[in-house]
Every structure is written in C-alpha cells, then in structure tokens.
Amino acid sequence: LQLEGGGRKVFNSDIEILSSLILISGVAEVPSDRSFLLREGVSVSGGSDNAYIEGILYASGTGDLFFPVGRNGNYAPVELLDVSGTSPVIGMTVSEPNPISIPGSGLTDLSTERYWRRELLSGIFTDAQVKLTIKNESFISDVSDVVVAGANSLGGEYTSFGQSAVTGDANDGSVTSQQKSDNTFFTLGIELNE
C-alpha cells in the first residue's frame, strides 16, 4: 500500500498489508472499530509529520516491529525490539497530550506531550524493548537523562525501563529502553541522577 496525495484518508474497512507500506503524504485515519494490520515481514518506508497512521496499528510476529504512528500533525513512531511471545498480534497507538501521571521510583519527571498504548489482539506477548520518539519535549534539559517509562494504567505510576541508546535532542530524537517491558502504556521520563 502506498499512501500519497496528502490530506486525511479514513479507512472504513479492515486493512491487511502483506508486503509493503510506503508513507509519502497523507494521514491514514483508522477508526476505533476497524483494524489496520501489518503482517509479519512487511517493509515500512517513509513517514513524516505529513504521512503516518492515526489510530491503532497492529503488527504480527516476533523480533523487531515498527509502528509508523502519529497524532495531531506529529509523526511519533514507536518500535518494539526483540519481541518475545507466541504468534503475537500487537497494536500500538500514540495519543496527545499525556494526562497527569505519577513518576515512580527513580523518575523525577514525565512527558506531558504524548503517550503510547500497547494492545494485544491475539497470541501471547511476553515482553520487548521499547524505542520511543522524542519530539518537541520542553521538559527535557539534558537528553542523556531521558528513559523509557512504562505503566499498566493510564495516569498510573510509571517505572523506568532505562536507556540503552539515545539519539538527537529534545526536539527530534529517540530513546531505547535498557530493559524489556510488558507494560501497556509508555512515555518519556527523566531518570533521577544520584
């Protein structure tokens, strides 16, 4: 599937991509009662503030799964790395803004810009490392302190999953968790330096 031509495209039917998804221009809006599924092995290319999937995007399989999602003109992809499980079909979506959340032990602050939510459509999901987008985050003063934080409820207490890699800066970058996680909600956090 090649997404081009700009504007919003509402998918009122279930979509299943078998080989490739090419995001050139336009926002693919997936209503909550529909599914947009990337089958195992699908290649994804493109993606920008003008070309992304808005709504829940499912991907099947283990290994590394990339979700080119966005919201409100902000491309904020998320990647699950080294996914463990048995035939999982995992959904990810991004929402803005992030409601008031509680920084748990080891965290001093959390992003109020956005959060990502994971769902399991079928199969068994054990855990994965998580790579989140850093985009226009005014709460970040030093990107080297940014970690992936996870929680099991929206607005709940977040815990740090650390940082194994960070790129870019507070306006355009990414952070990858140190530990694997099975949480439902993810956001950016600042780790307490002692």
Side-chain angles (χ1 to χ4, degrees):
L1 175 68
Q2 186 164 303
L3 183 66
E4 59 185 332
R8 297 183 77 76
K9 287 117 174 71
V10 179
F11 287 83
N12 288 316
S13 299
D14 293 339
I15 302 293
E16 186 172 332
I17 306 298
L18 302 175
S19 62
S20 66
L21 175 63
I22 304 165
L23 300 169
I24 298 172
S25 67
V27 174
E29 184 180 330
V30 183
S32 60
D33 63 340
R34 297 292 171 215
S35 67
F36 196 113
L37 171 63
L38 304 177
R39 281 287 173 205
E40 193 164 2
V42 166
S43 69
V44 177
S45 61
S48 69
D49 286 344
N50 299 310
Y52 57 82
I53 307 297
E54 186 171 300
I56 191 152
L57 174 62
Y58 292 97
S60 62
T62 56
D64 297 346
L65 302 176
F66 181 71
F67 300 84
V69 295
R71 177 81 61 183
N72 300 328
N74 293 308
Y75 180 53
V78 57
E79 192 167 2
L80 299 180
L81 305 167
D82 192 24
V83 173
S84 300
T86 305
S87 304
V89 178
I90 303 163
M92 293 295 295
T93 187
V94 63
S95 296
E96 296 178 347
N98 189 11
I100 301 299
S101 300
I102 304 161
S105 178
L107 293 170
T108 61
D109 205 358
L110 296 169
S111 171
T112 57
E113 292 297 321
R114 66 191 54 84
Y115 69 92
W116 292 262
R117 185 182 81 231
R118 180 189 59 78
E119 290 185 10
L120 183 64
L121 184 63
S122 64
I124 298 169
F125 171 76
T126 306
D127 56 18
Q129 276 184 286
V130 180
K131 182 178 181 181
L132 299 178
T133 298
I134 300 171
K135 187 177 190 98
N136 303 325
E137 293 285 355
S138 60
F139 85 110
I140 297 173
S141 58
D142 184 352
V143 75
S144 68
D145 294 332
V146 177
V147 296
V148 172
N152 284 318
S153 62
L154 184 60
E157 184 172 327
Y158 279 79
T159 57
S160 172
F161 287 91
Q163 172 207 108
S164 65
V166 66
T167 65
D169 57 32
N171 294 311
D172 183 21
S174 68
V175 61
T176 304
S177 67
Q178 179 70 42
Q179 295 94 18
K180 294 178 95 174
S181 170
D182 65 352
N183 286 99
T184 303
F185 297 92
F186 298 97
T187 194
L188 301 171
I190 299 294
E191 197 159 58
L192 179 64
N193 286 323
E194 297 187 22

